Amino acid sequence: MLRAAGVGLGDEVVVPAFGNVEVAEAVATAGALPVFADIDPATYCLDPAAVEAAITPRTAAVVAVHRFGRLADIARLHAVGQRHGLLVLEQGESEAPYDEIAQRRERAAYLDTKLRGVRTPDDADGHTYQQYVVRVPGNGRPDRDAFARAVRAKGVGCRVPVKTPVHRLPEFRRCVSLPETERASDETLALPVDASLTKRDMQRIVSACNALGGLLQPAF
């Protein structure tokens, strides 16, 4: 799509650094330079204000990535694009069937009301919970990683959604200030909300997480 739009050598493309190294690789493959902008801390998608701040005379396009079942603020991103004459592209996620999304939402609602000591995700309208991503507060990655190890030891599968932001990878290393991206990389943890989980499974998740409250500073 970038090549079809004439984006190439000498152009810059604004992309998120929170996950999806494939997006930065696609920009580089087209001959352009990926420029990283910060994310909105609630949606984990590009922050339109950060995108606008990253625009230079060489900027040709923006690639918005929808994340964890939340949509990027496409209306505001298109408004930014119109003001600056930029192409705005979207990368979506593979959607689960509607009945599975409904079940994921049920499990997410249960976790929202039961979990303690972690910050649960923003349950804005339209969230499909492709991943149920919580924040483990405290002193950053050591607390999150210790929490994850302890939860796994209790038989609960969990995963760190983004271990290293793209702007910290050797091939795309940039000296750029992305505080929300860095914070999200250090604090986020994806807990299971698969449609196949039983009520007992959900209770086990809650029990395992809530038993670790003493490990953490209070959520805020």
Side-chain angles (χ1 to χ4, degrees):
M1 293 176 68
L2 290 168
R3 284 172 169 164
V7 175
L9 190 63
D11 291 328
E12 295 177 350
V13 179
V14 181
V15 300
F18 188 66
N20 287 82
V21 67
E22 297 85 2
V23 175
E25 289 173 341
V27 172
T29 299
L33 178 71
V35 173
F36 301 109
D38 213 353
I39 57 170
D40 179 285
T43 66
Y44 303 105
C45 304
L46 278 176
D47 177 356
V51 169
E52 193 149 28
I55 292 171
T56 75
R58 297 174 61 185
T59 306
V62 177
V63 179
V65 181
H66 305 304
R67 180 77 62 200
F68 306 146
R70 286 293 304 271
L71 296 177
D73 193 340
I74 292 300
R76 287 181 62 200
L77 288 171
H78 275 297
V80 171
Q82 289 172 356
R83 282 196 296 275
H84 297 274
L86 307 177
L87 176 70
V88 177
L89 301 175
E90 302 176 51
Q91 185 189 55
E93 298 176 300
S94 56
E95 288 289 338
Y98 179 80
D99 58 342
E100 183 174 331
I101 290 174
Q103 291 173 317
R104 285 174 176 268
R105 284 173 171 158
E106 288 179 5
R107 286 155 179 74
Y110 176 82
L111 294 179
D112 286 346
T113 60
K114 299 292 186 181
L115 288 175
R116 301 289 180 266
V118 298
R119 277 178 279 169
T120 56
D122 181 347
D123 62 349
D125 290 345
H127 200 324
T128 59
Y129 295 99
Q130 301 299 312
Q131 295 188 59
Y132 184 88
V133 177
V134 300
R135 296 276 191 134
V136 179
N139 296 318
R141 186 174 296 182
D143 285 341
R144 189 272 315 279
D145 290 351
F147 185 93
R149 286 193 297 271
V151 168
R152 291 184 189 119
K154 293 178 179 289
V156 174
C158 62
R159 60 181 295 272
V160 174
V162 177
K163 294 182 179 179
T164 305
V166 181
H167 72 296
R168 296 297 185 214
L169 297 175
E171 61 269 39
F172 292 109
R173 190 173 297 278
R174 302 282 191 278
C175 183
V176 58
S177 176
L178 303 175
E180 295 299 343
T181 295
E182 299 276 3
R183 192 173 296 115
S185 296
D186 285 347
E187 295 181 349
T188 50
L189 187 69
L191 298 175
V193 286
D194 302 338
S196 61
L197 294 172
T198 65
K199 184 175 182 179
R200 179 171 292 182
D201 292 330
M202 300 306 297
Q203 291 171 339
R204 185 183 301 113
I205 294 167
V206 169
S207 176
C209 291
N210 290 359
L212 299 172
L215 176 69
L216 308 172
Q217 296 178 4
F220 57 89

